[in-house]
Amino acid sequence: MEEIQAEGITKRFGEVTALKNVSLKIASGELFFLLGGSGCGKTTLLRCIAGLESPTEGRVFFGERDVTDLPTHKREAAMVFQSYALWPHMTVGQNIAFGLEERKVAKKEIKRRVEEALEMVKLEGYAKRGIDQMSGGQQQRVSLARALVVRPKCLLLDEPLSNLDAQLRLEMRSEIRRIVKENHLTGVYVTHDQAEALSMADRMAVMDAGEVVQVGPPEVIYRQPCSSYVAGFIGETNLIQGRAGEGKLVETAVASLLASPAVEGYRAAHGAPVLLSIRPEALEIVNPTGLDRAMTLTGRITERTYLGSIIQYSVTLGDGSVIQVTEQNPQIIRSPGEDLVALQVAPEDVTLLER
Ligand code: ATP
């Protein structure tokens, strides 16, 4: 278990600047996620932390140690890849033992540690199996065991679940979290999959174009995204343009809404252009008759998607814009049509962003 710190990391590949002055502190024992669109620099940052890439500028620290110039195996970090990177002609046990043999660990000790690693990933008794006789999920467990067998302090994972089917991915989410926590590891995990990050992370960093744009626990990133990029990247959201009015009021083309700023202390000047982010599940469809107009949008349902536990509606508002609404455990199935519906939202669910 060790704190990981990136300090002012810049990484250039010729003309391309993959990372721009990135600083991050990952607490000891934390499972930390790097998230962001394709090409934003997640993998490059992870590889700089792992020692597979040297930063052009900046330093990497593990605890008190400056590890910037140390090779991977001297950092006491182990990496797990999307591709598993296993040797198909070797057995499970031989794959796991490889790192220890390279380190010249005694045969007896290797056998004991391979068994211990297999136990950690719940594959006891599989040492003699050929890799090609293992399923995709089992192969990913083997690659986890191979990482754990060297008893690292930090576990670095690059999209480890993206080759697995949906059901296995779900199962492995809790497995990986268990492994990190039970072994008191500091975990850094790169993914495209926001559901993976939201469900597994202690904290996450959202990256855009080589920069870290927001760091926080999942619920803060989801509920208080600092920009429309983060709001759109983590979960689905409705973005509505408006202008700042009196106090917390925002005037939009379709309604006056009270909003809560995403960044604490942010106040838009009167008349300044702003953006509102409203999650589809924060809107409630109500009948418009006799309703208090505050915090209400009106429109017509133009599309409906029934998904069993939830129902999704597209509602076209007065100005022609379309807003997404989801209802959990729907009791009433509404039909698209001419009738006006009203959408209500609480001020704390309307997030104010700078435009
Ligand atoms: P993805 O999610 O698609 O894997 P990413 O966020 O992990 O993307 P990186 O792989 O870190 O992104 O790449 C960041 C930028 O650096 C990209 O523009 C990429 O093309 C570039 N890059 C990465 N590695 C190299 C390399 N070895 N040589 C040249 N350019 C590179």
Side-chain angles (χ1 to χ4, degrees):
M1 187 144 85
E2 204 153 40
E3 178 186 279
I4 298 174
Q5 199 177 343
E7 220 178 76
I9 303 283
T10 293
K11 177 68 188 177
R12 289 187 206 98
F13 296 104
E15 298 283 284
V16 179
T17 304
L19 297 172
K20 297 174 196 159
N21 195 20
V22 170
S23 294
L24 268 184
K25 209 182 234 186
I26 299 167
S28 157
E30 188 170 40
L31 181 52
F32 191 94
F33 273 64
L34 300 175
L35 210 63
S38 192
C40 71
K42 309 178 288 292
T43 299
T44 305
L45 181 56
L46 190 74
R47 289 173 64 84
C48 286
I49 292 172
L52 297 169
E53 210 76 76
S54 307
T56 313
E57 285 162 36
R59 314 299 302 171
V60 178
F61 294 89
F62 279 20
E64 299 286 301
R65 288 185 303 155
D66 182 340
V67 297
T68 319
D69 301 317
L70 285 186
T72 307
H73 67 276
K74 291 205 172 140
R75 294 188 184 201
E76 295 178 272
M79 186 114 172
V80 177
F81 300 91
Q82 171 182 352
S83 60
Y84 318 143
L86 298 170
W87 286 283
H89 58 281
M90 289 188 193
T91 64
V92 167
Q94 286 166 339
N95 265 279
I96 299 171
F98 191 82
L100 296 180
E101 280 162 3
E102 274 201 318
R103 286 172 168 80
K104 310 262 182 281
V105 176
K107 274 230 159 65
K108 230 177 167 177
E109 171 73 0
I110 291 181
K111 189 163 182 290
R112 206 175 59 73
R113 279 173 61 180
V114 167
E115 273 162 19
E116 178 189 277
L118 280 170
E119 204 173 303
M120 283 180 203
V121 300
K122 301 201 173 135
L123 282 180
E124 297 98 323
Y126 280 84
K128 296 215 158 63
R129 280 258 196 126
I131 286 296
D132 52 2
Q133 296 168 314
M134 305 289 274
S135 71
Q138 287 172 330
Q139 288 189 28
Q140 193 50 296
R141 282 175 196 265
V142 175
S143 71
L144 273 164
R146 188 184 50 186
L148 295 168
V149 82
V150 300
R151 295 187 180 149
K153 290 182 175 161
C154 304
L155 188 63
L156 311 175
L157 305 119
D158 191 1
E159 308 237 14
L161 304 184
S162 43
N163 281 343
L164 303 181
D165 66 40
Q167 186 56 37
L168 259 175
R169 271 213 302 269
L170 279 181
E171 236 178 84
M172 288 301 288
R173 279 184 198 168
S174 43
E175 270 298 283
I176 290 181
R177 204 179 146 83
R178 173 188 68 77
I179 287 167
V180 168
K181 295 295 167 183
E182 275 184 14
N183 294 289
H184 309 291
L185 299 166
T186 304
V188 190
Y189 193 124
V190 164
T191 185
H192 276 109
D193 185 335
Q194 40 149 315
E196 217 162 273
L198 286 171
S199 63
M200 294 174 71
D202 292 316
R203 285 192 311 148
M204 55 174 93
V206 181
M207 298 180 65
D208 183 21
E211 291 178 283
V212 170
V213 288
Q214 190 171 6
V215 179
E219 64 278 12
V220 172
I221 302 282
Y222 189 79
R223 290 193 58 85
Q224 294 161 286
C226 69
S227 66
S228 55
Y229 170 80
V230 177
F233 193 79
I234 309 290
E236 223 187 301
T237 198
N238 295 294
L239 294 171
I240 302 172
Q241 297 192 352
R243 287 195 178 273
E246 291 295 333
K248 289 187 158 184
L249 209 60
V250 173
E251 303 295 341
T252 76
V254 285
S256 301
L257 296 170
L258 288 169
S260 317
V263 181
E264 221 173 304
Y266 168 65
R267 286 196 78 119
H270 197 278
V274 293
L275 209 54
L276 299 179
S277 163
I278 307 176
R279 299 286 184 191
E281 70 274 16
L283 288 154
E284 188 188 357
I285 302 182
V286 291
N287 288 323
T289 43
L291 200 72
D292 175 5
R293 289 278 155 197
M295 303 305 289
T296 304
L297 306 161
T298 50
R300 290 183 170 80
I301 294 174
T302 41
E303 227 181 287
R304 177 186 77 193
T305 310
Y306 181 69
L307 295 165
S309 63
I310 63 166
I311 191 161
Q312 298 170 337
Y313 294 106
S314 300
V315 177
T316 302
L317 305 178
D319 66 341
S321 62
V322 179
I323 197 163
Q324 304 298 324
V325 182
T326 54
E327 276 184 1
Q328 294 284 341
N329 188 22
Q331 302 294 325
I332 305 167
I333 315 292
R334 298 167 197 273
S335 297
E338 289 304 305
D339 292 344
L340 272 182
V341 292
L343 306 175
Q344 271 200 318
V345 60
E348 58 272 24
D349 287 328
V350 182
T351 307
L352 177 69
L353 304 169
E354 261 180 282
R355 176 142 52 108

